[in-house]
Amino acid sequence: MAVTPLMPVYPRSPVRPVRGEGCYLYGEGGETYLDFASGIAVNLLGHGHPHLTKAIQDQAATLIHVSNLYGSPQGEALAQRLVDSTFADTVFFTNSGAEAVECAIKTARRYHHHHGRPEKHTLITFKNAFHGRTLGTISATDQAKLRDGFAPLLPGFTVAEFDNLDAAKAAIDDHTAGFLVEPVQGEGGIRPASQEFMKGLRALADEHDLMLVLDEVQCGVARTGKLYAYEHYGIEPDILASAKGIGGGFPMGACLATEKAAAGMVIGTHGSTYGGGPLAMAAGGAVLDVVNTPEFLERVTRMGDRLRGALEQMIPNHDHLFESVRGLGLMLGIKMKTDSRAFVTYLRDHGLLTVAAGDNVMRVLPPLVIEDSHIAEFVEKLSEAARQYELPQEAA
Ligand SMILES: *Cc1c(COP(=O)(O)O)cnc(C)c1O
């Protein structure tokens, strides 16, 4: 048999981590990597953070799983904390980002169903968006590489140009249920939406009684220097999908909604065997303990400014490779003049972990607990690698 025991759907790199400590990962053969990928914006507290580790250890020894047949003191406590800290009145816990988006889509459709308008079932989504890999969430994007070979996809999505308010407005029709948008596109290339766009979507949603659904799976949970990125825009969504960083590495997600938006999500309408289990709640609670303080969030902004400043200073020295830096807080991307994927691979061999994204962008997503020394090490090694990097033949 030629197929590998692990279904070969990932082009896995030769990096084979077996241990992590703070901002560093260690490979099978003892290699050291400075981790500015954070498991794709997941390990907010780096690796082996004592508070998160202890919370998971203690909870694992106390109670791991019981199902949603029973009362959940752990889920109630974490939901209350999220409600207290956000726009939301109610929370559904999931195990992943795609499930959080699925719950958000269902909640938006159900809102209109509840009000006797079942024909309003279509979400307006945006070019180059990424919402996950389930059938529903691949149907919500226009990216062929995610969709090819999986037809028939689900109806109920219309794709408009990202950050183009006129396009969003023009896409509204009698079937529109709402908008589904990442305030900062992640996989699409670290593209923050403009103030005008986000405020405009809110206004359109209010005007037409539509749901504004935010996918903050990547940009949420302190990554941008706010607990959720919508806070940068002076607006509030109706529904929000959160995951990745929310568990600090423990698989979990959440769909947050206002009481109004969740009107149709009554008993029996949704569920999950594992969602909101005690172990996940312990992890989520420990992450919030650390990141949801004004001091921590300000620190993310400060470190984001420093990292961005250092990268911007470096760029002119390697302007054959790098074009510009973009992003918010510690969700940064370097727009490259050459293939970002090839460069990310090259950096791995030099002990630096970053993540490629669309639009020839290299994502720089360090743990939120980085120190100045990590920024200095990253920029120094990046600069050194850029000096040595030979442009591939076709780009030279
Ligand atoms: C990663 C991601 C998802 C999917 O999350 P999974 O946990 O992989 O299902 C959805 N939306 C955005 C914006 C993401 O970055």
Side-chain angles (χ1 to χ4, degrees):
M1 280 228 271
V3 73
T4 48
L6 269 182
M7 194 183 276
V9 293
Y10 290 108
R12 292 177 186 274
S13 85
V15 176
R16 297 167 66 84
V18 290
R19 189 169 66 82
E21 210 180 295
C23 299
Y24 294 92
L25 279 177
Y26 301 95
E28 231 170 16
E31 310 83 358
T32 302
Y33 301 95
L34 179 60
D35 183 8
F36 272 37
S38 304
I40 318 187
V42 168
N43 305 293
L44 302 188
L45 310 183
H47 304 282
H49 191 281
H51 186 64
L52 177 59
T53 304
K54 182 166 191 312
I56 293 172
Q57 282 173 338
D58 288 353
Q59 188 60 50
T62 306
L63 185 66
I64 292 178
H65 171 82
V66 293
S67 90
N68 287 305
L69 295 173
Y70 310 113
S72 174
Q74 308 86 359
E76 286 167 7
L78 187 60
Q80 185 66 56
R81 293 178 69 184
L82 289 169
V83 164
D84 290 344
S85 304
T86 68
F87 75 100
D89 303 311
T90 190
V91 180
F92 182 89
F93 289 111
T94 68
N95 312 291
S96 68
E99 285 170 283
V101 177
E102 290 276 351
C103 180
I105 295 167
K106 287 177 75 174
T107 303
R109 285 190 180 173
R110 190 82 190 176
Y111 168 78
H112 294 288
H113 168 91
H114 177 80
H115 290 290
R117 304 183 298 255
E119 75 285 359
K120 292 173 102 41
H121 47 51
T122 294
L123 286 169
I124 296 169
T125 67
F126 297 93
K127 282 215 164 76
N128 295 312
F130 182 81
H131 298 299
R133 297 289 202 147
T134 59
L135 276 172
T137 55
I138 63 174
S139 302
T141 83
D142 64 340
Q143 297 199 55
K145 64 177 189 209
L146 304 178
R147 301 166 56 121
D148 272 4
F150 297 114
L153 298 180
L154 300 187
F157 300 96
T158 300
V159 179
E161 194 73 46
F162 180 68
D163 213 24
N164 181 333
L165 193 57
D166 291 335
K169 189 173 178 175
I172 298 172
D173 65 20
D174 292 344
H175 298 294
T176 306
F179 302 105
L180 170 61
V181 62
E182 296 161 85
V184 185
Q185 282 195 338
E187 309 290 319
I190 310 290
R191 272 188 275 211
S194 64
Q195 290 284 329
E196 181 207 10
F197 182 65
M198 294 300 290
K199 287 192 167 85
L201 290 184
R202 179 68 271 172
L204 285 172
D206 290 341
E207 186 184 335
H208 299 274
D209 192 13
L210 306 176
M211 293 283 102
L212 178 58
V213 184
L214 300 185
D215 181 347
E216 293 219 21
V217 169
Q218 192 159 151
C219 62
V221 196
R223 174 58 57 189
T224 67
K226 303 278 188 194
L227 186 60
Y228 284 101
Y230 70 80
E231 298 169 46
H232 290 287
Y233 295 93
I235 55 137
E236 290 188 343
D238 302 293
I239 304 169
L240 180 148
S242 184
K244 291 205 164 93
I246 197 171
F250 193 90
M252 69 171 285
C255 175
L256 285 64
T258 62
E259 182 170 15
K260 178 187 168 195
M265 300 304 281
V266 296
I267 287 175
T269 52
H270 198 46
S272 165
T273 297
Y274 290 125
L279 197 50
M281 298 299 95
V287 169
L288 271 193
D289 289 341
V290 177
V291 307
N292 193 22
T293 71
E295 298 74 32
F296 188 91
L297 293 164
E298 273 161 33
R299 190 173 180 282
V300 171
T301 301
R302 196 163 65 242
M303 298 312 268
D305 288 346
R306 285 185 199 170
L307 176 54
R308 188 185 186 126
L311 292 172
E312 274 166 354
Q313 235 180 354
M314 177 210 68
I315 282 182
N317 304 332
H318 309 285
D319 57 4
H320 62 297
L321 276 183
F322 306 129
E323 193 174 300
S324 56
V325 188
R326 62 202 198 194
L328 274 176
L330 284 170
M331 184 174 185
L332 294 174
I334 303 179
K335 168 86 173 150
M336 304 210 45
K337 292 179 177 170
T338 174
D339 180 25
S340 66
R341 253 155 244 285
F343 190 65
V344 165
T345 302
Y346 185 80
L347 286 183
R348 279 173 187 154
D349 298 338
H350 289 72
L352 286 187
L353 303 183
T354 56
V355 200
D359 197 29
N360 255 337
V361 163
M362 175 171 82
R363 277 179 281 180
V364 180
L365 303 166
L368 304 185
V369 295
I370 49 166
E371 306 280 342
D372 284 319
S373 61
H374 301 118
I375 293 180
E377 181 183 345
F378 180 76
V379 176
E380 190 183 313
K381 289 188 170 158
L382 178 63
S383 202
E384 179 60 28
R387 232 188 325 274
Q388 292 171 15
Y389 189 65
E390 305 216 325
L391 286 178
Q393 270 332 91
E394 69 274 13

